[in-house]
Amino acid sequence: MNLKYLTLALLPIIFASCREESKSRQSTKRPNIVFIMSDDHAYQAISAYDDKLIQTPNIDRIAKEGMLFNNATVTNSICAPSRAVILTGKHSHLNGKIDNRMPFDTTNVTFPQLLQKAGYQTAMFGKLHFGNNPKGFDEFKILPGQGDYYNPKFITQTGDTTITGYVTDIITDLTIDWMEKRRNPAKPFLLMYLHKAPHRTWMPAERHYPEFTKKSYPLPETLFDDYTTRNAASPSAEMGILKHMQISYDLKVPDRIANTLDIKNWNQIGNRIGRLNADQRAAWDVVYNPIAEDFAEKFPNMNDSLLTVWKYQRYMQDYLGTIAAVDENVGRLLNYLDKKDLSENTLVVYTSDQGFYLGEHGWFDKRFMYNESFKTPLLIKWPNVITPNTTEEEMVQNLDFAQTFLEVAGVNPPSDMQGESLVPLLKGEKEAWDRDAVYYHYYEYPGEHAVKRHYGISTKEFKLIHFYHDVDEWELYDRLKDPNEIRNVYEEPEYAETVEAMKEKLEEVRKKYKDSDELSNGYIELYKENGWIK
Ligand code: SGN
Ligand code: CA
């Protein structure tokens, strides 16, 4: 064999060893972290969990290539508090962001600050909802407060800007623009890509109006819940589809039509669709006006249950319509990572700031420790670490993200963070995980939707909840026998021992996380000082 042939014969071996070398160089390179979070995205509306309502192939891809968590929950089911827990790795009672009202205390140490210090390039795009700007980011472009769906305004480091278009598309454009033009390839990156959708008032992208407004959805089993055995759930809570969802504001019947009907609970929508320009408004009117006219005709003959069903269907059409755009845009981002050869060394998380009621118990919104709002979607892919297509049943929480990302980046977590790194679970090392209960505490009362203050624990079998402040109600659910949580068994004699054991566990967990009645009372005092409790 002459030299030329020998070299040719050796080529595959030479290439293979180069590939090996680049692989091992890659694996020693610190991974990038892409944290995708939407706002109020119920797990029931992700087809990897449940395909009754919508197909979300792009979000599902994260679970197909990685892990789907079936028992991921939040510690306080409301927007800004959940974000504060995620960033600080501490429960609300310690990071101080107990509700959506007060600004976030920026003296808290957050994981992005630590990653930035450790050499990560950091960027945040989309909804933060903190009342102040995030610390620890090289670049951010965030929505003010809740933000708008159409032609939204953004706060940036160089001033405010309004961008024409649909919010979910724009957040993705901003993200990809940063990756394309300002990403530093010499550094690993942390990207927080945070959608406003599918938050109320559920406004889809123009391209999705025609398809989604024609759909009709299966009714949830508990749509007509009568709340027997649960005093805390009703009558005080104001999140009923029938009673509290607004015909005009939420369901887009224009004021001029709503005005002609004998409906108590309608409210103006003007300020939201007022953001549409003339062309956008014309496209809106073509689809939404005929729906409203049809409703106005049928309304006089509707009883409460027909009206509930009509409202539920309208709600689902718009809510799920907004998710179609989230899914498409998640696909855009995943494809971008692939195209740039970044996927291999990037951990991608998809989650929501909490779950949401899609008609279960007759509700929309969240806040309660009941399943649909306590549980949050969680899908993670991390090539070469997570075995594709795995599901995880262990109880994890949004409290765990900070320590997870710090471990992924090789940074020691501060000793006062309260979560657990998920890395052992991601690697399939289950023996290292021994959590047997998770803790919850909700504070925003008096407040919108009137959900009373409560705290509780959940194990895989039972859930114990204590509603306090202007009530003193206990609830126990047998999660295995009653997954819909419609039977509070707290007073039932055969559960007496369980109640006792769960109360002991609750005390143990409260001690571990350093929560107490004293702290709860302090937060009630704070409401009094602000005049929110008279
Ligand atoms: C807004 C919504 C509420 C919602 C809160 C909190 N009303 O105030 O329905 O519960 O946000 O949501 S709206 O009329 O402004 O849409 S959170 O996700 O930000 O916590
Ligand atoms: Ca939210």
Side-chain angles (χ1 to χ4, degrees):
M1 198 189 276
N2 70 25
L3 196 61
K4 186 172 148 206
Y5 287 116
L6 180 67
T7 317
L8 277 180
L10 284 176
L11 267 183
I13 300 170
I14 296 168
F15 276 134
S17 84
C18 286
R19 257 205 318 272
E20 276 312 305
E21 198 192 321
S22 103
K23 226 181 181 174
S24 79
R25 221 185 303 132
Q26 273 230 323
S27 64
T28 55
K29 245 174 61 182
R30 289 181 296 173
N32 308 306
I33 299 167
V34 173
F35 183 78
I36 311 175
M37 186 161 76
S38 44
D39 191 353
D40 294 359
H41 194 167
Y43 70 88
Q44 310 91 297
I46 293 179
S47 45
Y49 283 99
D50 185 341
D51 61 4
K52 275 200 297 291
L53 295 175
I54 190 169
Q55 291 298 327
T56 51
N58 295 297
I59 297 172
D60 293 4
R61 203 188 124 184
I62 300 171
K64 270 202 196 117
E65 294 174 18
M67 193 174 268
L68 180 81
F69 288 79
N70 276 329
N71 258 314
T73 56
V74 293
T75 64
N76 182 358
S77 182
I78 184 158
C79 183
S82 167
R83 288 155 206 264
V85 168
I86 289 168
L87 290 176
T88 63
K90 289 184 190 173
H91 276 279
S92 307
H93 58 272
L94 295 191
N95 72 44
K97 187 79 180 110
I98 57 156
D99 60 22
N100 274 344
R101 299 174 113 149
M102 305 278 219
F104 174 69
D105 173 359
T106 56
T107 63
N108 276 296
V109 172
T110 65
F111 84 81
Q113 286 169 291
L114 300 174
L115 289 189
Q116 190 183 43
K117 227 194 245 158
Y120 268 68
Q121 191 184 12
T122 55
M124 176 188 279
F125 301 100
K127 181 173 171 184
L128 177 62
H129 198 196
F130 264 8
N132 44 35
N133 291 341
K135 277 189 170 170
F137 288 90
D138 300 326
E139 177 165 333
F140 64 82
K141 293 194 167 80
I142 56 169
L143 297 163
Q146 296 282 8
D148 282 298
Y149 275 105
Y150 303 128
N151 308 329
K153 194 163 128 184
F154 283 84
I155 298 168
T156 80
Q157 285 133 310
T158 53
D160 294 357
T161 167
T162 298
I163 306 177
T164 305
Y166 185 64
V167 70
T168 308
D169 302 334
I170 297 169
I171 292 170
T172 315
D173 295 343
L174 296 173
T175 301
I176 291 179
D177 182 71
W178 171 77
M179 301 243 282
E180 186 68 15
K181 301 195 184 129
R182 293 179 298 289
R183 191 176 66 80
N184 177 353
K187 285 183 166 192
F189 66 86
L190 161 72
L191 165 66
M192 298 194 79
Y193 166 63
L194 311 172
H195 283 296
K196 170 194 170 57
H199 192 273
R200 195 180 181 192
T201 48
W202 320 300
M203 297 174 124
E206 189 181 310
R207 62 183 177 281
H208 293 126
Y209 304 161
E211 179 189 346
F212 279 82
T213 53
K214 284 191 199 77
K215 287 187 189 270
S216 138
Y217 296 94
L219 306 182
E221 276 175 56
T222 57
L223 182 62
F224 296 101
D225 194 347
D226 60 7
Y227 313 110
T228 43
T229 75
R230 286 151 296 147
N231 296 336
S234 182
S236 53
E238 294 169 0
M239 46 203 256
I241 290 182
L242 177 66
K243 284 201 193 139
H244 308 104
M245 188 177 270
Q246 318 255 338
I247 291 290
S248 170
Y249 182 68
D250 289 315
L251 303 178
K252 289 82 175 186
V253 174
D255 298 349
R256 70 180 162 78
I257 294 181
N259 256 323
T260 65
L261 305 173
D262 180 24
I263 305 174
K264 306 270 174 323
N265 62 334
W266 71 271
N267 200 327
Q268 307 222 352
I269 193 165
N271 60 340
R272 305 284 168 120
I273 53 171
R275 297 190 67 80
L276 296 174
N277 63 32
D279 289 346
Q280 293 168 333
R281 180 59 195 263
W284 169 278
D285 284 343
V286 166
V287 177
Y288 282 96
N289 282 351
I291 296 173
E293 281 151 17
D294 179 63
F295 171 69
E297 225 179 277
K298 293 185 176 136
F299 176 75
N301 297 318
M302 279 181 175
N303 57 22
D304 277 359
S305 59
L306 284 175
L307 186 57
T308 304
V309 171
W310 184 87
K311 290 175 97 174
Y312 166 77
Q313 296 294 358
R314 259 315 8 268
Y315 164 37
M316 284 300 92
Q317 291 169 351
D318 288 346
Y319 177 93
L320 296 166
T322 72
I323 287 171
V326 172
D327 189 64
E328 287 170 2
N329 279 286
V330 166
R332 273 178 74 198
L333 186 70
L334 295 179
N335 290 342
Y336 181 87
L337 294 172
D338 284 349
K339 201 173 82 196
K340 298 289 167 177
D341 286 329
L342 288 167
S343 295
E344 186 79 0
N345 195 34
T346 300
L347 177 146
V348 178
V349 172
Y350 187 90
T351 190
S352 170
D353 60 345
Q354 16 57 215
F356 212 67
Y357 296 98
L358 304 183
E360 298 86 0
H361 304 292
W363 287 336
F364 64 103
D365 213 67
K366 53 255 177 175
R367 298 161 193 267
F368 278 111
M369 198 191 166
Y370 306 130
N371 191 42
E372 290 78 7
S373 52
F374 178 46
K375 180 166 166 174
T376 197
L378 179 59
L379 304 81
I380 306 183
K381 80 179 182 89
W382 190 8
N384 306 317
V385 178
I386 301 179
T387 309
N389 229 338
T390 44
T391 53
E392 181 52 73
E393 304 297 328
E394 290 302 333
M395 293 184 292
V396 305
Q397 291 201 288
N398 58 346
L399 183 69
D400 301 322
F401 286 129
Q403 278 147 280
T404 304
F405 300 145
L406 291 172
E407 180 170 355
V408 165
V411 179
N412 283 331
S415 59
D416 58 353
M417 282 190 173
Q418 298 184 301
E420 303 279 338
S421 165
L422 302 177
V423 169
L425 291 181
L426 302 180
K427 290 184 172 163
E429 295 163 3
K430 279 172 174 297
E431 330 68 63
W433 192 265
D434 64 354
R435 182 182 282 160
D436 59 0
V438 285
Y439 184 57
Y440 184 85
H441 198 154
Y442 172 81
Y443 298 84
E444 197 178 280
Y445 179 87
E448 201 176 4
H449 300 295
V451 171
K452 307 256 182 195
R453 289 174 189 237
H454 58 290
Y455 59 83
I457 51 162
S458 182
T459 62
K460 282 186 179 165
E461 292 86 20
F462 297 102
K463 188 182 284 180
L464 178 74
I465 315 179
H466 182 210
F467 292 87
Y468 69 98
H469 169 48
D470 59 354
V471 285
D472 183 12
E473 301 267 353
W474 287 87
E475 296 182 356
L476 179 77
Y477 294 95
D478 187 329
R479 300 186 62 209
L480 303 180
K481 287 196 186 139
D482 175 29
N484 287 339
E485 299 171 326
I486 45 175
R487 189 169 142 218
N488 169 20
V489 294
Y490 183 79
E491 300 286 355
E492 294 187 15
E494 63 267 39
Y495 284 94
E497 268 174 35
T498 308
V499 166
E500 206 178 305
M502 287 294 280
K503 279 193 167 172
E504 243 170 62
K505 187 85 214 161
L506 174 67
E507 276 325 299
E508 192 185 297
V509 168
R510 271 162 69 84
K511 219 185 221 157
K512 167 176 155 197
Y513 289 129
K514 302 185 168 62
D515 199 4
S516 63
D517 288 347
E518 217 176 333
L519 278 175
S520 303
N521 291 336
Y523 285 123
I524 290 172
E525 283 310 309
L526 193 72
Y527 264 52
K528 288 186 181 155
E529 282 160 28
N530 282 286
W532 300 331
I533 295 179
K534 303 279 177 248

